Each structure stands twice: as C-alpha cells, then as structure tokens.
C-alpha cells in the first residue's frame, strides 16, 4: 500500500504538459488577390515573433503559449494594419478572417482592427486630437450623402457600429476648429472587424475665423 501511495504522489508531482496554440490567416489586397512574402509580426506582452506569408498569402504562428496578442502587417505603400486583442487559449488552433491591406493615401499612417467573432457587420471607430467632447462626427455613405451621425465622448472618441462592409467618409465639426483634412471617402470597413483609425487632428482657426480656410500643401514621402 505504501508503494502505491508513493507512486500516486509521484504522478501528482509531475507537471502536466502545456499544449501550445497556433494562429493562422491569409493576407489579401483590395482586389482579393493573395499577398505573398510579406512580414507579419505577432506581439504579446513578453515577446515578439515574425513570419512571412507563403506563396498564397498564408501566415502561420505555431507553438504559442496561451495569452493575448496583437498582429501587425506593415508593407511599404500600404496602410499599416494592426489586429488587436487576439485571445488564444491553451492548445487552441485559431484561424483569423482574411486581412485586407489597403494602399496608403497621402498622409495616412495606420489602421487598427479588432476581431469581432461571428459578426456579419463591421465597426468604424476613431478619435479627435486634441481630445474634445461633443465634436459632431458625420458618417458619409454611398453617393456622398450623410447616413448617420454621433458625437465624441469625454475622451474624444467616437464609434459607428453595425455597418455593412464598404467604404465610408467622415466629416468633423467643432466650432472654432477645422479638421486636418476635409471630408474624405476612404474609411474602409470589413465585415467582422472593428476598424480603428488614427486621430483626426482638429486645427484651431486663426482668430476663430474658419472661413476661408488657408490653403496648405501636403507632401507625401
């Protein structure tokens, strides 16, 4: 009996094997074509790992511990894409929906996206700089007509939810200020993703006079 008890105690002291997780997905361009041989970086709170997509745009990360990750795709000439808050359970084999990378218009830097599991619509979010409450934000849909509006919260953030996939415009209105750029019809929403755009800079009008607006030259690198 003593020998059996010793064996059982020894088994209890052996650490259970931790099952590694994996993450896979595909990168495509605006036409739906696969994007091969580009770098995809996965970042956790403690480490970073980078792989390349294969000939058909597939990336794969293996032997991952459970945790929360962010994925970054940065390609010259394209908007940097960051997929935030990717949760992996122990042993989970997770596949992400296709990620579309978009050509970067002049002056645009990045777009963050957050996975919304099981959702057929998308969300468009952003903020204003400097942060201000009650800035009027108008969503422009097809045919350049206003289709929805909201106001920024106390942190300067705004969000439009349950949007069909497509391209939208945004217009910002704050008394005494004008936006860094006029209404632009190039905010992209993908089904199942939250698209988080970088802050829109609100410039103070000289002496409070916003009309006419001075002409500025915009240089692209």
């Amino acid at each position: 009996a003593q020998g059996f008890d010793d064996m059982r105690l020894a088994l209890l002291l052996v650490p259970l094997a931790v099952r590694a997780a994996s993450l896979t997905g595909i990168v495509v361009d605006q036409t739906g074509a696969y994007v091969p041989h580009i770098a995809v970086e996965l970042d956790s709170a403690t480490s970073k790992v980078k792989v390349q997509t294969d000939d058909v745009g597939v990336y794969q990360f293996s032997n991952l511990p459970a945790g929360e990750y962010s994925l970054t795709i940065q390609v010259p000439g394209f908007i940097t894409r960051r997929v935030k808050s990717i949760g992996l359970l122990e042993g989970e084999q997770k596949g992400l929906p296709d990620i579309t990378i978009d050509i970067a218009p002049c002056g645009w830097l990045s777009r963050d996206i957050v996975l919304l599991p099981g959702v057929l619509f998308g969300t468009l979010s952003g903020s204003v700089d400097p942060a201000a409450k009650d800035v009027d934000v108008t969503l422009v849909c097809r045919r350049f007509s206003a289709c929805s509006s909201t106001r920024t919260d106390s942190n300067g953030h705004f969000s439009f939810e349950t949007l069909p996939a497509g391209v939208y415009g945004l217009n910002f209105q704050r008394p005494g200020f004008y936006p860094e750029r006029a209404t632009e019809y190039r905010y992209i929403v993908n089904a199942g993703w939250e698209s988080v755009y970088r802050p829109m800079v609100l410039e103070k009008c000289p002496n409070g006079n916003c009309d006419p607006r001075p002409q500025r030259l915009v240089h692209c690198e």
Side-chain angles (χ1 to χ4, degrees):
Q2 181 64 40
F4 178 78
D5 290 340
D6 291 342
M7 182 180 297
R8 182 170 62 179
L9 179 61
L11 290 174
L12 290 175
L13 293 176
V14 174
L16 297 177
V18 176
R19 295 179 299 152
S22 68
L23 182 70
T24 60
I26 299 175
V27 181
V28 297
D29 64 18
Q30 291 171 298
T31 69
Y34 301 128
V35 183
H37 312 305
I38 62 169
V40 182
E41 183 175 89
L42 194 65
D43 183 11
S44 70
T46 58
S47 64
K48 292 183 180 181
V49 60
K50 185 179 293 186
V51 300
Q52 280 198 334
T53 57
D54 64 15
D55 291 340
V56 290
V58 176
Y59 60 87
Q60 181 172 7
F61 295 92
S62 303
N63 299 319
L64 298 173
E68 184 170 299
Y69 295 84
S70 294
L71 183 145
T72 301
I73 301 173
Q74 190 168 10
V75 182
F78 289 80
I79 297 175
T80 298
R81 301 296 300 272
R82 296 186 183 91
V83 185
K84 302 167 63 180
S85 304
I86 304 171
L88 285 178
L89 302 176
E90 181 183 329
E92 183 177 9
Q93 313 300 304
K94 175 171 285 188
L96 294 180
D98 293 357
I99 298 176
T100 304
I101 57 173
D102 316 304
I103 295 176
C106 178
W108 285 53
L109 299 178
S110 65
R111 176 158 68 104
D112 292 352
I113 50 180
V114 180
L115 180 63
L116 306 172
V119 177
L120 299 179
F121 298 95
T123 296
L124 173 60
S125 301
S127 59
V128 295
D129 180 18
K133 184 180 180 181
D134 291 334
V135 176
D136 291 317
V137 186
T138 301
L139 184 72
V140 182
C141 295
R142 294 182 179 181
R143 299 182 180 178
F144 300 96
S145 60
C147 55
S148 184
S149 63
T150 188
R151 288 186 174 184
T152 57
D153 62 19
S154 58
N155 295 314
H157 295 118
F158 67 90
S159 182
F160 294 95
E161 301 180 356
T162 320
L163 297 177
V167 182
Y168 296 84
L170 287 177
N171 178 266
F172 299 82
Q173 295 288 334
R174 181 186 179 191
F177 291 78
Y178 43 63
E180 176 185 14
R181 297 183 301 273
T183 304
E184 293 183 305
Y185 195 77
R186 57 190 184 191
Y187 291 87
I188 299 170
V189 172
N190 300 109
W193 298 102
E194 178 186 4
S195 298
V196 186
Y197 281 90
R198 71 179 180 91
M200 172 62 71
V201 176
L202 301 179
E203 301 173 283
K204 196 167 185 177
C205 302
N207 301 317
N209 181 18
C210 297
D211 188 24
R213 175 173 179 166
Q215 296 294 318
R216 295 190 312 152
L217 295 177
V218 179
H219 300 281
C220 291
E221 296 181 357

